[in-house]
Amino acid sequence: MGPSDSYDQKLRDETRYGFGFSYVYRKKLLEKHPFNSSKTFGEDLEWITHLLKVGTKVHHFADQNGLTLHIQGTWNTARIPTQYKIPSFLVTSIFDESAINYTRCSKK
């Protein structure tokens, strides 16, 4: 294991688990293991890391229907690279008209 291997593993885990906006979980789980309400950054990754440490089963599935749209712009604090870049002119042909409100592009 080289010096960068641990960083690479950390980045892979952050990519795999660090997108809190895409979590689906039961209310009962949240009541037993609440988010850290004093944090305003990284609380989702901290929460999922805790759940994994206590043995909670986490399942992943591929979003092949566009259930989740994560707009990532210059204001975003995530340092995870995007999986797909959608040109502005295609946003409304792929997603509902309302998606344009969450991008910084204008409809032409």
Side-chain angles (χ1 to χ4, degrees):
M1 221 175 170
S4 68
D5 289 343
S6 62
Y7 174 79
D8 292 344
Q9 180 62 47
K10 183 178 185 305
L11 186 59
R12 279 192 299 275
D13 287 346
E14 287 178 2
T15 303
R16 188 177 299 127
Y17 300 113
F19 291 111
F21 69 89
S22 66
Y23 299 165
V24 177
Y25 49 87
R26 297 185 188 276
K27 183 179 177 182
K28 188 168 144 181
L29 180 67
L30 185 61
E31 290 170 345
K32 186 174 181 181
H33 303 279
F35 281 91
N36 181 347
S37 61
S38 67
K39 288 189 85 172
T40 57
F41 175 79
E43 70 283 356
D44 48 359
L45 184 58
E46 179 183 276
W47 185 71
I48 199 78
T49 301
H50 165 74
L51 293 177
L52 291 167
K53 283 181 183 173
V54 299
T56 304
K57 288 184 183 179
V58 174
H59 301 278
H60 299 273
F61 67 93
D63 179 7
Q64 296 177 337
N65 296 313
L67 297 173
T68 303
L69 172 63
H70 184 218
I71 305 297
Q72 188 160 335
T74 55
W75 65 91
N76 195 298
T77 56
R79 61 184 178 92
I80 307 301
T82 56
Q83 291 178 325
Y84 304 101
K85 291 185 178 183
I86 302 169
S88 301
F89 68 89
L90 286 177
V91 172
T92 56
S93 63
I94 298 171
F95 301 102
D96 180 273
E97 281 282 322
S98 64
I100 201 75
N101 297 328
Y102 301 102
T103 66
R104 292 203 174 160
C105 58
S106 59
K107 201 170 115 182
K108 292 185 180 187

